[in-house]
Amino acid sequence: MTYCCGILVKDGLVMIADTRTNAGLDNISTFRKLHIFNQPGDRIMAVASAGNLAISQSVLSTLSEGLENPTTGELETLLNAPTMFQAAQRIGRAIRHVNASEGKALEAEDINFDVSFLFGGQIKGAKMRLFMIYPAGNFIECTVDTPYLQIGEHKYGKPVLDRAMHYDVELYEALKTGLISMDSTMRSNIGVGLPIDVLVVRTDVCDADLNHRIEAGEPYFHDLRSRWSAALRAAHQNIPRPPYKKDN
Amino acid sequence: MTYCCGILVKDGLVMIADTRTNAGLDNISTFRKLHIFNQPGDRIMAVASAGNLAISQSVLSTLSEGLENPTTGELETLLNAPTMFQAAQRIGRAIRHVNASEGKALEAEDINFDVSFLFGGQIKGAKMRLFMIYPAGNFIECTVDTPYLQIGEHKYGKPVLDRAMHYDVELYEALKTGLISMDSTMRSNIGVGLPIDVLVVRTDVCDADLNHRIEAGEPYFHDLRSRWSAALRAAHQNIPRPPYKKDN
């Protein structure tokens, strides 16, 4: 399982991904799911992946080697994409390319072609953008009305985002909310786990403001988890009991 | 969509069910999903249903008419079941009976045989019990370690139950937690909605302590929702911002 969340606010972009993978409950490993493509000052892009690890890794390797454009003959990668939109299209094409070569064999083994990506970043002179890319290679873009996108196990971590996230939230407040969302997910699904990779990018800087891995036992995240738990307990206790009477 | 939750604590049983049904997003209705079978002082049983409404209603009608026991010829219903375990088995048999007569035709229309039930209650002289019954007619029973069961859209409402529910919680505290769980679900899934039906049964009474419908605008539930929202907002604000520094 996986949980990744991308948040796009006025001040910039936050991307958060866990690192737990499992091939059955009896085969759990740690793999990085947040991949950063950076030419400081010119462009920064990040891809977070969910779904079948063999597929997502193949898509990323295909993008790193470059996918030949049939018209121009150019090897297309993320780092030479002219715009974020065209870069998202390239991820879509890479997914379709992998599906064309692997899909049939996976289907024969009853394995779904299950993969999805968050793709965020900024190219100098253009807007910061965030996309969610589906297994068919199509995608949607994050807008100001709902300034976040999620892939993987999204339900447990969605309520706190719905309540607290809006476009004007300060960048590190957005990171905090994203971490609470990750905490809620980890508590309810053991398929999502530490360490957590975090990327924070400030608008118009085209470089990472923070590229950090939160390991188990890290004091701030540990404190965030205990405070959130204690506050929820208190919130719960402070609500009065139902006043309903028998057959009321 | 549906959310139903059953909670079994030392003091008794709480069952909560929403009433929203939908055949597509453009066809939303209100149907009771919490059904009570009561012979006050002798037995009280409640069935909450999720899944395909035609199937769950057929199962309940089959149980009300009685399913003939091929060995004894007796018409078996919930009200003449000797034990809660045997009553749960009868629900399972009714599901299989409906599947045998309807399943093929549904499959031809690409409709899943999707139905599940919570079944709780007590027969005089025996224990209060709570079961979750699957589409195949098999079932699990609630135990003290995890004193609740859910059907339908269970994820949004699970975290608060995991944090706050244990076997020694007072009965109306359990109801309160169940209502917070329902609130969390309704906020994140518009397929779950008011009114909410609630049943509270005290251990060894074999009658309803509370059999209540919470309608939209009811003051206590409205207050619970605002208090929970405000407390979550405050909890969130009181957590310090991440102290991480650039490339820390």
Side-chain angles (χ1 to χ4, degrees):
Chain A
M1 210 55 213
T2 288
Y3 178 50
C4 305
C5 167
I7 302 169
L8 184 67
V9 291
K10 204 178 57 191
D11 295 343
L13 172 74
V14 172
M15 290 183 72
I16 306 174
D18 85 312
T19 54
R20 188 161 295 173
T21 63
N22 60 290
L25 271 174
D26 54 351
N27 188 355
I28 289 184
S29 310
T30 299
F31 280 83
R32 190 171 178 94
K33 301 172 197 173
L34 180 63
H35 303 273
I36 297 167
F37 302 81
N38 196 4
Q39 287 173 336
D42 175 64
R43 67 180 56 198
I44 182 161
M45 297 164 160
V47 178
S49 61
N52 182 303
L53 184 65
I55 299 174
S56 64
Q57 288 188 338
S58 290
V59 170
L60 285 166
S61 294
T62 302
L63 283 164
S64 295
E65 294 196 353
L67 204 59
E68 192 177 313
N69 182 316
T71 318
T72 65
E74 188 199 8
L75 269 186
E76 298 184 335
T77 67
L78 294 183
L79 286 176
N80 67 18
T83 66
M84 284 295 293
F85 174 66
Q86 289 181 47
Q89 287 181 314
R90 288 177 186 193
I91 298 175
R93 277 203 293 278
I95 295 172
R96 290 168 188 159
H97 180 82
V98 172
N99 197 349
S101 66
E102 310 284 326
K104 277 243 167 65
L106 294 174
E107 204 182 319
E109 300 281 334
D110 255 344
I111 298 169
N112 269 346
F113 191 83
D114 169 27
V115 73
S116 54
F117 295 94
L118 295 178
F119 173 57
Q122 187 174 23
I123 296 174
K124 197 179 169 181
K127 272 198 316 179
M128 181 91 80
R129 297 172 81 167
L130 173 64
F131 301 89
M132 176 160 66
I133 304 166
Y134 297 105
N138 58 333
F139 50 84
I140 61 170
E141 180 171 2
C142 186
T143 66
V144 297
D145 293 320
T146 306
Y148 70 86
L149 293 170
Q150 305 168 290
I151 54 174
E153 171 61 278
H154 61 281
K155 289 196 177 181
Y156 296 119
K158 187 168 181 290
V160 67
L161 294 173
D162 282 335
R163 286 180 196 264
M165 195 53 64
H166 53 91
Y167 189 65
D168 294 318
V169 164
E170 193 275 339
L171 193 55
Y172 281 79
E173 277 290 313
L175 172 60
K176 184 181 92 179
T177 306
L179 293 176
I180 296 172
S181 172
M182 180 60 81
D183 169 50
S184 302
T185 311
M186 292 198 308
R187 276 186 194 271
S188 291
N189 188 330
I190 56 156
V192 178
L194 288 161
I196 297 168
D197 291 314
V198 166
L199 174 71
V200 177
V201 183
R202 221 169 259 290
T203 302
D204 295 336
V205 175
C206 291
D207 197 0
D209 202 66
L210 178 73
N211 177 0
H212 181 63
R213 170 162 285 195
I214 298 173
E215 302 277 0
E218 201 223 50
Y220 171 74
F221 190 63
H222 182 83
D223 179 61
L224 174 142
R225 303 191 81 178
S226 345
R227 279 176 189 255
W228 183 244
S229 254
L232 288 188
R233 250 193 323 275
H236 178 265
Q237 278 160 4
N238 289 338
I239 293 176
R241 279 191 198 168
Y244 310 128
K245 292 281 184 306
K246 186 170 162 60
D247 294 329
N248 190 6
Chain B
M1 210 55 214
T2 288
Y3 178 50
C4 305
C5 166
I7 302 169
L8 184 67
V9 292
K10 204 178 57 192
D11 295 343
L13 173 75
V14 172
M15 289 183 71
I16 305 175
D18 85 311
T19 54
R20 188 161 294 172
T21 63
N22 60 291
L25 272 175
D26 54 351
N27 187 356
I28 289 185
S29 310
T30 299
F31 280 83
R32 190 171 177 94
K33 302 171 195 172
L34 181 63
H35 304 272
I36 297 166
F37 303 80
N38 195 5
Q39 287 172 338
D42 175 62
R43 67 179 61 197
I44 182 162
M45 296 165 163
V47 178
S49 61
N52 182 302
L53 184 65
I55 298 174
S56 64
Q57 288 188 338
S58 290
V59 170
L60 285 166
S61 294
T62 302
L63 283 164
S64 294
E65 294 196 352
L67 204 60
E68 192 178 313
N69 182 316
T71 318
T72 64
E74 188 200 7
L75 269 186
E76 298 185 334
T77 66
L78 294 182
L79 286 176
N80 67 18
T83 66
M84 284 295 294
F85 174 67
Q86 289 181 49
Q89 287 181 314
R90 288 176 185 193
I91 298 176
R93 277 203 293 278
I95 294 172
R96 290 168 189 159
H97 180 81
V98 172
N99 197 350
S101 67
E102 311 284 327
K104 276 244 167 63
L106 293 175
E107 205 182 319
E109 301 279 335
D110 255 345
I111 298 170
N112 269 346
F113 192 82
D114 169 27
V115 74
S116 54
F117 295 95
L118 295 179
F119 173 58
Q122 186 173 25
I123 296 174
K124 196 180 169 181
K127 271 199 316 177
M128 182 91 79
R129 298 172 81 167
L130 172 64
F131 301 90
M132 175 161 66
I133 304 167
Y134 298 105
N138 59 331
F139 51 84
I140 62 170
E141 180 172 3
C142 187
T143 65
V144 296
D145 293 320
T146 305
Y148 69 86
L149 292 171
Q150 305 168 290
I151 53 173
E153 171 61 278
H154 61 281
K155 289 196 177 182
Y156 296 120
K158 187 169 183 289
V160 67
L161 293 172
D162 282 335
R163 288 179 194 266
M165 195 54 63
H166 53 91
Y167 190 65
D168 295 318
V169 165
E170 193 275 341
L171 193 55
Y172 280 79
E173 277 290 314
L175 172 60
K176 184 181 92 178
T177 305
L179 292 177
I180 296 172
S181 172
M182 181 59 82
D183 169 50
S184 302
T185 310
M186 292 199 308
R187 276 185 194 269
S188 292
N189 188 329
I190 58 157
V192 178
L194 287 161
I196 298 166
D197 290 314
V198 166
L199 174 72
V200 177
V201 183
R202 221 169 261 290
T203 302
D204 294 337
V205 174
C206 291
D207 197 2
D209 201 66
L210 178 73
N211 177 0
H212 182 62
R213 170 163 283 196
I214 299 173
E215 301 278 0
E218 201 222 52
Y220 172 74
F221 190 63
H222 181 83
D223 179 61
L224 174 142
R225 302 191 83 179
S226 350
R227 280 176 189 255
W228 184 243
S229 253
L232 287 189
R233 249 193 323 275
H236 178 265
Q237 278 159 5
N238 290 337
I239 293 176
R241 280 191 197 166
Y244 309 129
K245 293 282 184 307
K246 186 171 162 62
D247 295 327
N248 191 4

